Amino acid sequence: MIKSRFLIIVLTFISSLINTISAQSKPNIILIVADDAGYGDFGFHGSKQMKTPELDIFASQAMHFKQAYVTAAVCGPSRAGILTGKYQQRFGYEENNVPGYMINSFLDGDEMGLPLNQKTMANYLKDLGYKTALIGKWHQGNADRYHPTKRGFDHFYGFRGGARSYFEFNRENPNSRKEDYLERGFGNFEESKKYLTVAFADEAISYINKNKNNPFFLMLSFNAVHTPMEAQNEDLKQFPNLEGKRKQVAAMTLALDRACGRVFDELDKLDLTDNTLVIFTNDNGGPSDTNASNNYPLSGTKANHLEGGIRVPFLMRFPKQIAENSSYDFPVSTLDLLPTFYKLAGGNDKDLKDIDGVDLMPFIHKKTTERPHQTLYWKKENRAAVRDVDWKLLRFPDRPAELYNINEDISESHNLANKYPEKVKDLYKKLFDWELTLTRPLWQLKREYEGKAMERMDNYRAPKRD
């Protein structure tokens, strides 16, 4: 009997040890998403005005993807594409934020959100034994059924909507509403007592410490540098030569950079850096008219399909597996994040059903010389774009289509539609064939805002250095 009990204890210990080693061998995954940042507003992208020392160091340790795209030129649908690894138009989440400015005779704003039949990257990673957390902005539906903790995330700290003040909200504030507080878990609203970017970094550091002994997935979803334009005084003082919104966005970017640096430092302190994949990216191009962001050398802004609306910074650090200070030149998409994470976490490719992204690791390690994507698509009602190899067609509701060779003309300055009419016809047909596979939009933007989007595009066609 004693020998039998001893054997059981030994076997239990060995099993526990094996499980622990297996868990520790899986990499931690941190996805950092900035909000509405300008493509050119980082030191590693050549900015002379912005101060991003922490991210510049990170860039020197990472692989820099020179042609990284999001699936939408506005926040909510872009994040839906990230979370599902699918073109969000395929499940009716077209390029319209939720809620607000919408028209749908059957739904009010809070009833719009990421459809419940869509599996998220948090669901996939949780199935593989990961602890999962979303810290920051959600923007995938305000109703309780869309809540992050019901979409695969074990832990949530942030706000459900698309924007809110960076400063304190408390019961003494006469304008304070429950939804302006920060939410911890489900339905537990707290007064916010810190500058929001700092609060999210603090929570991320706390989460990493609590989960340092098991594999975790953390989506650190900053709302910086989205409006409202609210910076800390000590950061504003760092930019005496700037004024107005440009000064505000510079100070907010500095706070974002410092927050990222604190997270990187914590990984170093806990000796987790080598076993942690960290991605830094942005959800769409900068809205230059509202937050004074600069997308140089790209034309366009948030909410349109010029490069400035859909091409984003994209850095990937994974020591010992990805060469530091390296670059990847072919186009990639934030659709690729989910399958890349899933495969690294030990998942089987065959378990990923009906997604549009690809695992980036074979391309990073040069196991294949092919492109991750031959063709990429974007669509918002009548407006749409398709990039096929290096040719890009833009379709508009109020003017003829435009054609560019992105490899030769990154700023989209030379419309080649008249020179290559057959290429226009070919890409137009390719775009339409893709549209035939999509679901009708579940909601749409009020038509007046389409006109404003075209005005914004026309006002920011010519890129300017900072």
Side-chain angles (χ1 to χ4, degrees), residues 163-166 195 223 225-231 248 252 290:
R164 57 146 283 170
S165 174
Y166 290 79
Y195 185 70
N223 61 312
V225 291
H226 195 291
T227 54
M229 305 307 294
E230 295 176 346
Q248 292 279 350
M252 293 164 73
T290 61

Side-chain angles (χ1 to χ4, degrees), residues 174-282:
N175 298 317
S176 184
R177 306 168 300 167
K178 184 180 76 170
E179 55 264 39
D180 292 321
Y181 296 170
L182 292 177
E183 187 176 9
R184 182 178 297 280
F186 177 75
N188 301 311
F189 293 92
E190 302 177 358
E191 296 181 12
S192 55
K193 300 179 180 180
K194 302 175 184 176
Y195 185 70
L196 201 55
T197 306
V198 175
F200 291 155
D202 285 351
E203 186 71 13
I205 289 169
S206 174
Y207 180 81
I208 291 169
N209 273 273
K210 290 177 181 176
N211 292 276
K212 61 187 176 183
N213 294 323
N214 52 257
F216 63 82
F217 165 57
L218 167 61
M219 184 171 178
L220 180 50
S221 179
F222 287 108
N223 61 312
V225 291
H226 195 291
T227 54
M229 305 307 294
E230 295 176 346
Q232 299 176 106
N233 287 332
E234 58 266 34
D235 291 330
L236 288 168
K237 292 176 183 178
Q238 299 300 312
F239 302 93
N241 297 323
L242 299 180
E243 298 179 348
K245 289 182 180 179
R246 189 62 180 163
K247 184 169 187 169
Q248 292 279 350
V249 77
M252 293 164 73
T253 301
L254 180 58
L256 170 67
D257 179 79
R258 185 168 55 245
C260 291
R262 291 179 57 216
V263 173
F264 303 151
D265 287 346
E266 196 67 22
L267 293 174
D268 288 342
K269 290 177 186 176
L270 298 174
D271 199 25
L272 295 177
T273 298
D274 284 351
N275 195 41
T276 303
L277 170 68
V278 183
I279 304 278
F280 175 82
T281 189
N282 191 40

Side-chain angles (χ1 to χ4, degrees), residues 252-422:
M252 293 164 73
T253 301
L254 180 58
L256 170 67
D257 179 79
R258 185 168 55 245
C260 291
R262 291 179 57 216
V263 173
F264 303 151
D265 287 346
E266 196 67 22
L267 293 174
D268 288 342
K269 290 177 186 176
L270 298 174
D271 199 25
L272 295 177
T273 298
D274 284 351
N275 195 41
T276 303
L277 170 68
V278 183
I279 304 278
F280 175 82
T281 189
N282 191 40
D283 62 355
N284 48 249
S288 304
D289 53 341
T290 61
N291 73 356
S293 52
N294 190 335
N295 294 310
Y296 186 87
L298 311 177
S299 291
T301 66
K302 175 181 180 176
N304 62 69
H305 296 137
L306 292 167
E307 294 289 285
I310 56 177
R311 190 188 288 206
V312 293
F314 194 102
L315 303 172
M316 180 185 289
R317 187 185 74 178
F318 197 10
K320 299 182 180 179
Q321 295 208 39
I322 297 177
E324 66 177 22
N325 201 25
S326 58
S327 63
Y328 187 80
D329 295 330
F330 285 144
V332 300
S333 170
T334 48
L335 293 169
D336 304 327
L337 292 170
L338 189 157
T340 302
F341 294 168
Y342 189 72
K343 191 68 182 296
L344 279 172
N348 189 323
D349 289 343
K350 295 179 181 179
D351 297 333
L352 296 177
K353 307 295 185 183
D354 195 30
I355 67 167
D356 297 304
V358 300
D359 175 15
L360 290 176
M361 285 302 171
F363 301 93
I364 291 171
H365 295 148
K366 299 181 179 178
K367 293 181 179 179
T368 175
T369 57
E370 296 180 357
R371 291 170 175 250
H373 301 276
Q374 166 83 12
T375 311
L376 292 169
Y377 301 94
W378 298 266
K379 181 183 185 299
K380 187 182 188 302
E381 301 181 29
N382 295 332
R383 288 189 286 131
V386 53
R387 175 167 174 172
D388 189 62
V389 189
D390 291 326
W391 288 101
K392 181 180 174 186
L393 177 85
L394 293 110
R395 189 185 71 198
F396 306 106
D398 65 343
R399 67 197 69 181
E402 297 177 4
L403 178 71
Y404 298 96
N405 186 311
I406 299 301
N407 187 51
E408 299 175 357
D409 181 18
I410 189 176
S411 299
E412 294 168 291
S413 301
H414 306 291
N415 180 11
L416 302 174
N418 291 334
K419 187 175 182 180
Y420 298 102
E422 291 303 314

